[in-house]
Amino acid sequence: MSENQSQHALSSLWSARPYHRKWLLAQADGLFDFFQGSAINPKGGFYDLSRDGKPLSTENPARGIHASARMVHCYAIGHLLGRPGSAEIVDHGMRYLWERHRDETNGGYFWQANDTGAADDSKQGYGHAFVLLAASSAKCIGHPLADAMLADITEVIEEKFWEEEHGAIAEEFSRDWQPVPGYRGQNSNMHLTESLMAAFEATGEQHYLTKAERIADLIINRRAREEAFRVAEHFDENWVVDRNYYHSNEMFRPAGTTPGHALEWARLILQLWVLGGKKHEWMPEAARGLFFQSMALGWDKDKGGFFYTLNWANTPEKRAKLWWPLCEGAAAAHFLNQHQESDFHEESYRKIWNFIANNNLDRDFGGWFEELTEEGKPSNSLFPGKGDIYHALQACLIPLFPAEGSLTRMIAQHPLDV
């Protein structure tokens, strides 16, 4: 392809068009605005918000560790972009993670905390993955607690969660580190892969990247490949797929397969491929396969949007349309377009953003509808309000930067051009 042909092809992508880029930045600003003014709990941590941006509860609510850590990560991104007020939110969240979620006696971090201490004292891999992300992002802006937290969470993951024989982490322990047996999950390991890459980028320490590559090899190159690039969610302790697994918490452990996680992995695999020097040839193929299967099996061809879960016969099980698979689909399509540009990837990118623009943006109160019915009507069967900025913010910002690393690193290295 000649230079002129390449420039023409690039200009055909929405992510290269000035108007689209300004539109994405405006959506990101709206999300920052929605959460910045209302989410801060003066007693520490952050409120979950209702549709109209008010706290769902002010009477000593339990704060989930993933929500605290995600706010730190997102407002560290805001600070790197130059958004006023972001550093104070990062500080607010970091102190709550360090002073309330951290178990000073036994080590590790509680799943939920409140005004006085632990509300749920379990130690879960999912939550610890996000503490690593928060610490890594806070380090990128020089927060004074970042190095101590990064050292602490790295030690906990290495000594308590990491299972060298498998190349992945265990799922859950009690307060005093008694293992909760019988289960291993891909979701916690997927988010740890994201966080390990962020830690590698923040510190330059190779051991983080090595662990990320081992997790990806287990869950995607082996297990997902065996399932025709459908991502199995649930496993036994030997990482054998458990097709009959059921848990009442369908927010974090839905049965069957989730197209959204395959989309998320498609982006993460390509990021890992780049950070690792593009030496793992299986990664681009896997990213392409994950994305294709999610669009082919998970996209509602009649009404649009992604079904939340599929059963093992590839038919929709939980038919609600959640916001986060759309977010991950848009981000994955951008990464694929940057590394494997195709009409299919660009058409998918536009299809996803068209659905978001027409269905998920709350033009009355701001923020995004996090859950829609199968017919596209706002609903709250799984998510009570608007409790999360993380997925939507990243979806808006990732297409504005090169698809070469975490947002924190890309923002630091590449001036924003809109």
Side-chain angles (χ1 to χ4, degrees):
M1 181 181 291
S2 70
E3 182 176 352
N4 287 339
Q5 288 173 321
S6 178
Q7 290 174 349
H8 176 74
L10 184 63
S11 68
S12 70
L13 300 179
W14 268 16
S15 62
R17 296 186 181 184
Y19 180 89
H20 180 69
R21 295 173 67 80
K22 290 178 182 177
W23 186 88
L24 288 176
L25 186 58
Q27 303 311 312
D29 281 338
L31 290 162
F32 276 131
D33 289 342
F34 185 84
F35 286 91
Q36 187 165 345
S38 304
I40 298 173
N41 186 332
K43 295 183 179 180
F46 304 96
Y47 293 119
D48 289 328
L49 301 180
S50 63
R51 181 193 168 186
D52 58 0
K54 294 182 172 61
L56 284 171
S57 172
T58 58
E59 298 299 320
N60 193 19
R63 285 78 123 181
I65 193 169
H66 62 291
S68 302
R70 285 173 174 183
M71 284 288 284
V72 169
H73 169 65
C74 289
Y75 280 91
I77 288 170
H79 181 75
L80 289 168
L81 288 169
R83 181 178 175 86
S86 296
E88 288 82 356
I89 296 175
V90 172
D91 184 64
H92 185 80
M94 287 290 285
R95 293 191 182 280
Y96 195 75
L97 287 170
W98 192 248
E99 296 167 6
R100 298 282 193 224
H101 282 289
R102 184 169 61 101
D103 183 349
E104 295 182 359
T105 302
N106 299 295
Y109 294 77
F110 302 127
W111 177 241
Q112 292 182 338
N114 58 23
D115 295 348
T116 58
D120 178 341
D121 63 6
S122 62
K123 311 284 177 66
Q124 300 198 25
Y126 187 93
H128 284 71
F130 276 107
V131 174
L132 180 60
L133 181 64
S136 302
S137 299
K139 182 175 176 63
C140 292
I141 68 169
H143 190 276
L145 286 176
D147 284 338
M149 189 182 292
L150 190 57
D152 183 62
I153 188 62
T154 299
E155 181 179 4
V156 170
I157 290 170
E158 177 68 36
E159 295 189 359
K160 301 296 187 182
F161 283 93
W162 185 255
E163 296 183 322
E164 179 64 21
E165 67 271 30
H166 298 299
I169 59 168
E171 187 68 22
E172 185 176 353
F173 297 85
S174 67
R175 183 179 192 138
D176 62 352
W177 293 109
Q178 299 304 306
V180 178
Y183 177 78
R184 297 294 181 268
Q186 84 78 25
N187 196 9
S188 59
N189 279 276
M190 179 189 71
H191 281 293
L192 183 60
T193 301
E194 172 191 29
S195 302
L196 288 165
M197 287 191 285
F200 167 72
E201 291 169 305
T203 66
E205 296 178 17
Q206 181 66 34
H207 63 93
Y208 292 115
L209 192 65
T210 300
K211 281 186 171 62
E213 290 174 337
R214 291 198 64 195
I215 293 170
D217 181 71
L218 170 65
I219 294 177
I220 301 303
N221 192 35
R222 285 183 274 162
R223 296 299 177 264
R225 185 183 295 279
E226 291 165 358
E227 304 293 344
F229 289 120
R230 298 172 300 170
V231 176
E233 293 288 329
H234 311 296
F235 302 81
D236 68 13
E237 290 181 342
N238 293 312
W239 286 94
V240 175
V241 176
D242 183 352
R243 285 176 169 77
N244 298 314
Y245 182 85
Y246 173 79
H247 194 284
S248 59
N249 188 346
E250 292 182 330
M251 185 186 301
F252 291 104
R253 296 190 188 181
T257 68
T258 54
H261 283 150
L263 294 165
E264 200 161 355
W265 266 116
R267 170 176 62 88
L268 294 174
I269 284 291
L270 282 176
Q271 181 180 327
L272 188 58
W273 177 64
V274 173
L275 293 180
K278 301 183 179 181
K279 64 179 180 290
H280 295 289
E281 296 182 359
W282 67 266
M283 291 183 176
E285 174 210 359
R288 191 165 58 247
L290 291 164
F291 187 84
F292 178 84
Q293 285 288 56
S294 295
M295 294 301 301
L297 302 176
W299 184 263
D300 184 340
K301 296 174 178 60
D302 296 325
K303 302 179 180 70
F306 291 103
F307 296 112
Y308 182 32
T309 66
L310 308 176
N311 60 32
W312 285 101
N314 296 328
T315 58
E317 189 71 22
K318 296 297 179 183
R319 305 179 75 93
K321 313 289 179 60
L322 305 185
W323 87 111
W324 68 260
L326 293 159
C327 297
E328 295 304 330
H334 171 68
F335 260 73
L336 283 159
N337 258 332
Q338 293 293 300
H339 296 288
Q340 304 176 38
E341 185 181 337
S342 74
D343 289 345
F344 173 67
H345 295 146
E346 177 62 10
E347 289 165 2
S348 299
Y349 179 86
R350 297 182 185 190
K351 181 186 295 185
I352 292 167
W353 276 116
N354 283 334
F355 185 88
I356 292 171
N358 289 330
N359 296 276
N360 289 90
L361 306 184
D362 187 344
R363 292 179 171 83
D364 293 325
F365 294 103
W368 290 26
F369 295 116
E370 295 185 354
E371 182 181 345
L372 304 173
T373 65
E374 182 179 1
E375 290 72 31
K377 304 298 182 183
S379 177
N380 296 108
S381 67
L382 286 171
F383 294 87
K386 297 173 180 172
D388 183 66
I389 184 177
Y390 158 83
H391 285 287
L393 181 73
Q394 292 201 141
C396 294
L397 293 177
I398 283 172
L400 302 181
F401 293 93
E404 297 171 1
S406 302
L407 270 172
T408 46
R409 176 169 167 255
M410 291 299 97
I411 293 168
Q413 293 183 351
H414 300 275
L416 182 60
D417 177 22
V418 294

